[in-house]
Amino acid sequence: MGGQASVYFNPWDPEFRNNPYPHYGLLLAGPTPILDWGPFKIVLVARYADAISVLRDHARFSSIGPPPPPEAYQGRLAGSRNLINTDPSAHSRLRRLVSRDFTPRRMRELEPRIREIAAAIIDAAQRSGEFDVVKDLANVLPVTVIGEMLGVPAELNATFKQWSDKLIDAGNNLPGTPTPPDVVKTLDALTDYFSLEIERRRRTPGPDLVSALVRAHDEDDVLSPADLLNFVSLLLIAGNETTTNLIANGTLALMQNPDQLKLLISDRGLLPDAIEEMLRYDGPVQATARFPKQTADVGSTQVPAGAIVFILLAAADRDPARFQDPGKFDIRRSPNEHLAFGEGIHFCLGANLARLEAAIAFNAMLERFPRIHLKDPELKPKYRGTYFLRGIESLPMAIE
């Protein structure tokens, strides 16, 4: 994409998506660049101090972007809101609807069931002698957990994962081009399913998240019918995609740094710190966006109202002004106040759940397979999804 000299930022370039990290150095060293993308001004915020300043400043930097272009298919979700694209006070009211399901107390209640699911996955891998961390563990565990929280049948988990991956992949559609037919079909299938489920929970409510949101819709004016559908769909997608990528990217980081893997196997008490380092070193979410309500300064750069501000979380987490030797994967790094889950009022609602699932997954995997290593030591992984949600397509392991 065009822009200031030497700065390259193109989320639609497969090579850039595969490894954006070499491009972050210039962004961290120079002034905050403003790029021209067609009718839009794009601002790239990379430095940690600037990123955290923007994320915390919801008074000047909104989460409500411009409406989707007419060629972008919205289906049943047209005109709807969710946690990601709202500001206070609507955001605060929406977040309260589900926050009780993501508290530390709720995580303690979920933990035995998550351990049970992880153990069954590892048992199956041990029986077969084959283990792909992505396909067998990272893809399966998070969608199973969020599916149970939403109260949907386990036999649909594979279908949900396919829908989720397809809708995430739609982010690679070039701006100004129509939504591909397979994405239209997937969005319709997902929203048709949940529309029927919403009606079913209205008639027969349960203790699940969908029933709680249906009650909120029926008893208050917080959610429109389209908002309700959007919220449920977001919980399914966000509830599995980011944790899938955390487990996969984290496993690759361990395998590519055998000294850190050996250290973790010898002292499993380091796992919480290791997970924080996985999140910092190669986080599942590379960037998020904000929209300035008025002209605002970011560092020494004046950002015009109407611009799109990309906060490059993964670049900020490699900022040498914040992290010593940021390109090194160090599971004993402390302090480690990374931005992988964002910051401010939009701090990831599911952060506790993602950490818990990752801890259980790595404990189960390393306990059962203490000599685990990459089946192909020279593996150059292929990345799926979009630049914004970074995840590995496949990671075959040797588990003898």
Side-chain angles (χ1 to χ4, degrees):
M1 290 288 174
Q4 296 184 1
S6 301
V7 170
Y8 184 75
F9 181 81
N10 185 352
W12 295 279
D13 175 358
E15 291 303 314
F16 179 84
R17 289 204 311 270
N18 273 349
N19 189 11
Y21 292 102
H23 300 282
Y24 291 158
L26 283 171
L27 292 169
L28 289 165
T32 298
I34 301 179
L35 313 181
D36 289 312
W37 282 10
F40 296 106
K41 296 285 188 185
I42 303 295
V43 183
L44 302 179
V45 176
R47 287 188 289 271
Y48 185 97
D50 294 339
I52 207 165
S53 174
V54 172
L55 290 169
R56 288 175 175 173
D57 190 356
H58 59 268
R60 291 193 303 162
F61 293 93
S62 173
S63 294
I64 303 173
E71 66 271 10
Y73 181 74
Q74 298 291 295
R76 291 175 181 264
L77 303 184
S80 62
R81 307 167 301 164
N82 60 41
L83 277 175
I84 294 174
N85 63 10
T86 49
D87 291 337
S89 62
H91 174 266
S92 310
R93 296 168 73 194
L94 289 174
R95 193 174 176 105
R96 277 197 299 269
L97 295 178
V98 292
S99 59
R100 66 176 178 82
D101 288 280
F102 295 92
T103 60
R105 177 181 177 181
R106 181 65 178 132
M107 295 306 100
R108 289 192 294 273
E109 294 170 352
L110 288 172
E111 185 172 347
R113 176 57 183 149
I114 299 173
R115 289 189 185 282
E116 188 177 286
I117 297 166
I121 292 168
I122 297 299
D123 286 346
Q126 190 167 34
R127 286 194 300 270
S128 71
E130 299 288 331
F131 185 45
D132 186 316
V133 166
V134 177
K135 295 178 180 176
D136 297 329
L137 178 61
N139 276 358
V140 179
L141 178 64
V143 76
T144 304
V145 173
I146 195 64
E148 292 187 1
M149 292 175 72
L150 292 169
V152 297
E155 58 267 23
L156 289 179
N157 285 347
T159 300
F160 287 145
K161 186 61 181 171
Q162 290 169 6
W163 287 346
S164 179
D165 289 348
K166 178 60 67 176
L167 293 175
I168 292 296
D169 285 344
N172 292 321
N173 199 36
L174 287 171
T177 58
T179 304
D182 58 339
V183 176
V184 171
K185 183 179 179 181
T186 299
L187 182 60
D188 284 344
L190 174 67
T191 53
D192 286 350
Y193 173 81
F194 276 122
S195 293
L196 293 173
E197 280 298 295
I198 285 167
E199 289 307 313
R200 187 172 72 82
R201 308 304 168 83
R202 182 168 282 124
R203 294 190 304 269
T204 314
D208 55 88
L209 273 168
V210 176
S211 296
L213 290 171
V214 170
R215 278 195 302 275
H217 170 267
D218 293 349
E219 295 171 3
D220 200 347
D221 62 352
V222 180
L223 295 168
S224 72
D227 291 343
L228 173 57
L229 193 54
N230 191 331
F231 208 149
V232 172
S233 302
L234 174 67
L235 286 170
L236 171 67
I237 295 171
N240 83 84
E241 288 291 341
T242 51
T243 311
T244 290
N245 296 343
L246 164 57
I247 294 169
N249 297 355
T251 300
L252 180 63
L254 279 176
M255 298 304 140
Q256 291 180 333
N257 293 273
D259 60 322
Q260 299 299 294
L261 174 62
K262 183 178 179 181
L263 182 62
L264 181 58
I265 289 173
S266 67
D267 183 0
R268 207 78 60 74
L270 291 171
L271 185 56
D273 289 340
I275 289 170
E276 298 309 307
E277 180 67 348
M278 293 169 192
L279 287 160
R280 184 202 68 85
Y281 180 77
D282 192 11
V285 180
Q286 288 283 303
T288 188
R290 294 294 186 271
F291 308 90
K293 301 176 184 178
Q294 59 201 40
T295 300
D297 291 334
V298 176
S300 60
T301 300
Q302 191 172 75
V303 176
I308 300 175
V309 177
F310 286 142
I311 302 102
L312 308 184
L313 306 172
D317 284 341
R318 296 284 187 105
D319 187 348
R322 181 69 185 188
F323 300 98
Q324 185 176 0
D325 199 2
K328 180 182 179 182
F329 181 70
D330 178 6
I331 66 170
R332 288 186 291 197
R333 184 181 297 275
S334 180
N336 196 353
E337 296 177 353
H338 59 77
L339 298 180
F341 289 126
E343 179 65 30
I345 63 169
H346 284 275
F347 183 82
C348 177
L349 180 68
N352 288 333
L353 180 60
R355 286 175 167 129
L356 176 61
E357 290 179 355
I360 289 172
F362 282 105
N363 257 324
M365 181 167 58
L366 296 178
E367 183 174 325
R368 195 74 63 90
F369 308 130
R371 293 189 295 277
I372 192 169
H373 56 276
L374 290 172
K375 183 170 278 191
D376 176 6
E378 305 301 317
L379 176 74
K380 290 184 170 52
K382 291 175 63 178
Y383 285 83
R384 62 178 182 181
T386 68
Y387 159 74
F388 295 93
L389 292 177
R390 175 178 169 82
I392 299 166
E393 194 171 287
S394 177
L395 203 58
M397 310 301 294
I399 55 174
E400 68 274 2

